[in-house]
């Protein structure tokens, strides 16, 4: 009933949003004694019109990138299309070959476009590909299941598509799956094993500096999650009947952690709109357009993530398996490892990502690097000024060292 209740509420408010949009379009833009009242009215109508979540992937919005002293056009190409995700290539109109990089995006309630700025910055010096995950509610049940090991399989398949001599950068949740994929490829002597692996703010070992997110995953049994946050996709969608962890549940959980900040930001948005401060309002709207675009996870991926990565910390304790075989990060011998953590990360605590260095026991010291970025939270590790100016140069140098 969880998904049906949400969808019913969304359908109920849809006419209200439509009327607000119509009213906004008809509200005159006048000067004089009524101008202030009209701006406040328009601001209120726009706030109502924005009262919704979306379930389609937003546009990446990347059409060009500055390379050297010129702007280079960028086009999106689907290099490989699989049932639960596609390998998206940001092709630049550039003759000079540059290192191929696979960016593995989180599968945690938002679309991969959450990493748009990460991609934009990486494109300056690299040939960038990204794991563009599909919304589980739009994937027919005939496509089968998609769990943690399937994610690993996709990463391996995508790296094979890039071919030998590539690099991989993982952000947040998929640091575990990416590390496992590189370990499997190293053990198999797969020629597409990446030359470098950058793990950014990911839960490699959640026993280190547990956060509120870790505690939430630990304090309830798996049966609680299955009974309380798993829902059935309504039959109106392509994935009708599929069991999922809805994106709107994940969004609600994240917003609850910082509700006062979100409310204050929306009050600022209203004030900017009412004051006619369109540029300031645009920045807030763009962030929440992305933040309120939610993606559903398959039940098996969500439950396995809670069980294997958070509750059991299988990779860190040596109990992680892939297709029936034990995954040993010690098999990684020739891939440079860079870990990045944020000093104020309240989602992935200090030491959780750098734990990968102990697991990759066969790597020689010159193939291990760690960067701790002070004064940034979780999102600041891969987006914003400090990512662009301070963290990215470290990532770029690690890739360059092995290329």
């Amino acid at each position: 009933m969880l998904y049906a209740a949400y969808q019913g509420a969304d359908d109920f408010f849809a006419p209200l949003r439509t009327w607000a949009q119509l009213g906004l379009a008809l509200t005159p833009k006048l000067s004089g004694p009524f101008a202030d009242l009209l701006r406040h009215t328009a601001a209120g109508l726009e706030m109502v019109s924005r009262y919704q979540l979306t379930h389609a992937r937003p546009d990446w919005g990347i059409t060009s990138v500055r390379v050297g002293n010129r702007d280079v056009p960028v086009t999106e190409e689907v290099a490989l299309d699989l049932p639960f995700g596609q390998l998206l290539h940001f092709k630049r109109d550039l003759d000079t070959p540059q290192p191929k990089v696979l960016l593995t995006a989180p599968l945690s309630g938002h679309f991969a476009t959450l990493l748009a700025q990460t991609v934009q910055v990486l494109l300056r010096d690299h040939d960038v590909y990204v794991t563009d995950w599909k919304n589980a509610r739009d994937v027919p049940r005939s496509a089968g299941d998609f769990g943690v090991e399937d994610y690993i399989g996709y990463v391996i398949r995508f790296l094979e598509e890039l071919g030998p001599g590539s690099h991989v950068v993982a952000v947040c949740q998929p640091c575990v799956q990416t590390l496992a994929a590189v370990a499997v490829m190293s053990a198999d002597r797969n020629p597409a094993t990446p030359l470098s692996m950058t793990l950014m703010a990911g839960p490699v070992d959640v026993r280190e500096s547990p956060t509120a997110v870790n505690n939430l995953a630990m304090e309830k049994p798996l049966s609680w999650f299955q009974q309380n946050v798993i829902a059935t996709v309504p039959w109106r969608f392509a994935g009708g009947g599929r069991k999922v962890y809805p994106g709107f549940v994940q969004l609600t959980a994240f917003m609850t952690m910082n509700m006062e900040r979100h409310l204050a930001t929306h009050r600022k948005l209203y004030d900017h709109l009412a004051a006619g401060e369109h540029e300031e309002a645009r920045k807030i709207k763009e962030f929440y357009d992305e933040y309120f675009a939610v993606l559903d996870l398959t039940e098996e991926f969500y439950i396995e993530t809670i069980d294997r990565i958070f509750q059991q910390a299988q990779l860190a304790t040596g109990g992680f398996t892939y297709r029936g075989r034990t995954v040993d990060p010690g098999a990684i011998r020739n891939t440079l490892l860079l870990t990045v953590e944020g000093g104020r990360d309240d989602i992935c605590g200090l030491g959780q990502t750098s734990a990968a260095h102990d697991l990759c026991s066969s790597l020689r010291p010159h193939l291990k690097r760690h960067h701790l970025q002070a004064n940034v939270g979780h999102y600041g590790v891969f987006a914003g000024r400090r990512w662009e100016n301070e963290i990215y140069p470290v990532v770029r140098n690690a890739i360059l060292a092995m290329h």
Side-chain angles (χ1 to χ4, degrees):
M1 295 298 293
L2 179 63
Y3 217 122
Y6 160 77
Q7 198 61 52
D10 187 61
D11 293 343
F12 176 81
F13 284 107
L16 182 61
R17 292 193 297 268
T18 301
W19 279 106
Q21 292 167 358
L22 179 61
L24 185 62
L26 296 176
T27 300
K29 296 176 176 57
L30 302 176
S31 58
F34 296 105
D36 187 62
L37 175 61
L38 288 172
R39 282 199 303 269
H40 279 273
T41 301
L45 289 171
E46 184 162 356
M47 296 296 288
V48 172
S49 71
R50 294 179 57 80
Y51 186 68
Q52 66 173 334
L53 302 181
T54 58
H55 299 266
R57 194 203 73 185
D59 291 333
W60 284 90
I62 301 174
T63 57
S64 66
V65 62
R66 190 76 174 175
V67 178
N69 59 356
R70 67 187 182 100
D71 291 322
V72 176
V74 177
T75 56
E76 298 175 22
E77 288 185 351
V78 177
L80 183 64
D81 191 14
L82 300 177
F84 288 91
Q86 57 188 15
L87 177 63
L88 189 63
H89 181 206
F90 291 89
K91 187 175 181 180
R92 300 166 305 165
D93 187 10
L94 196 67
D95 294 330
T96 306
Q98 291 183 316
K100 289 184 178 181
V101 174
L102 173 65
L103 180 63
T104 59
L107 189 50
S108 57
H110 286 97
F111 291 89
T113 47
L114 197 66
L115 303 183
Q117 190 187 2
T118 318
V119 173
Q120 182 78 52
V121 173
L122 282 169
L123 278 169
R124 296 174 184 173
D125 307 286
H126 308 93
D127 188 10
V128 181
Y129 296 74
V130 66
T131 58
D132 194 14
W133 302 112
K134 298 179 182 179
N135 194 343
R137 84 174 193 176
D138 298 324
V139 181
R141 294 176 66 191
S142 59
D145 295 340
F146 185 84
V148 166
E149 293 186 22
D150 297 298
Y151 189 118
I152 295 171
Y154 271 46
V155 172
I156 293 174
R157 181 68 185 86
F158 289 159
L159 284 169
E160 290 174 340
E161 187 69 21
L162 267 65
S166 62
H167 306 260
V168 64
V169 175
V171 175
C172 189
Q173 174 215 69
C175 285
V176 173
Q177 294 94 318
T178 300
L179 178 55
V182 175
V184 170
M185 296 176 77
S186 298
D188 293 343
R189 300 185 183 277
N190 190 318
T193 302
L195 300 178
S196 76
M197 170 175 56
T198 299
L199 306 179
M200 304 175 65
V204 175
D205 188 350
V206 295
R207 299 172 301 174
E208 298 287 339
S209 307
T211 65
V213 174
N214 305 142
N215 293 334
L216 176 63
M218 294 294 293
E219 67 186 13
K220 305 285 187 182
L222 285 180
S223 58
W224 183 91
F225 292 100
Q226 291 171 319
Q227 294 168 11
N228 290 278
V229 299
I230 299 299
T232 302
V233 176
W235 289 103
R236 70 167 80 175
F237 303 110
R242 180 182 291 280
K243 297 286 188 179
V244 298
Y245 173 64
F248 62 82
V249 174
Q250 178 78 331
L251 179 66
T252 301
F254 275 129
M255 290 196 69
T256 300
M257 292 173 60
N258 297 285
M259 184 58 71
E260 290 186 5
R261 180 169 61 86
H262 289 295
L263 291 174
T265 303
H266 277 82
R267 283 194 291 269
K268 286 183 182 178
L269 174 58
Y270 174 85
D271 291 340
H272 288 317
L273 291 170
E277 298 167 347
H278 302 296
E279 180 60 23
E280 292 81 356
R282 180 188 63 80
K283 295 176 183 178
I284 297 176
K285 288 193 290 185
E286 286 182 352
F287 172 81
Y288 280 102
D289 285 345
E290 179 69 49
Y291 199 60
F292 288 162
V294 295
L295 170 147
D296 297 343
L297 286 63
T298 63
E299 174 188 26
E300 53 275 13
F301 182 85
Y302 177 73
I303 294 299
E304 289 172 15
T305 298
I306 296 291
D307 179 27
R308 302 179 63 176
I309 295 175
F310 286 95
Q311 293 192 353
Q312 296 191 56
Q314 287 183 349
L315 190 61
T317 58
F320 197 96
T321 59
Y322 172 73
R323 305 291 189 248
R325 35 187 300 208
T326 299
V327 174
D328 177 19
I332 302 174
R333 297 180 180 275
N334 301 307
T335 299
L336 184 146
L337 169 65
L338 168 64
T339 55
V340 181
E341 295 181 336
R344 297 171 58 188
D345 194 334
D346 61 351
I347 292 178
C348 185
L350 290 177
Q352 292 189 11
T353 311
S354 60
H357 289 277
D358 289 335
L359 298 179
C360 296
S361 55
S362 299
L363 283 179
R364 290 163 291 175
H366 74 278
L367 292 178
K368 291 184 178 183
R369 302 183 183 184
H370 177 67
H371 179 74
L372 173 61
Q373 184 65 47
N375 299 320
V376 300
H378 187 70
Y379 292 98
V381 171
F382 57 88
R385 179 172 50 85
R386 293 187 185 274
W387 148 248
E388 183 174 358
N389 297 328
E390 300 180 46
I391 299 174
Y392 170 65
V394 177
V395 176
R396 180 190 59 207
N397 291 341
I399 293 173
L400 185 62
M402 296 297 290
H403 197 74

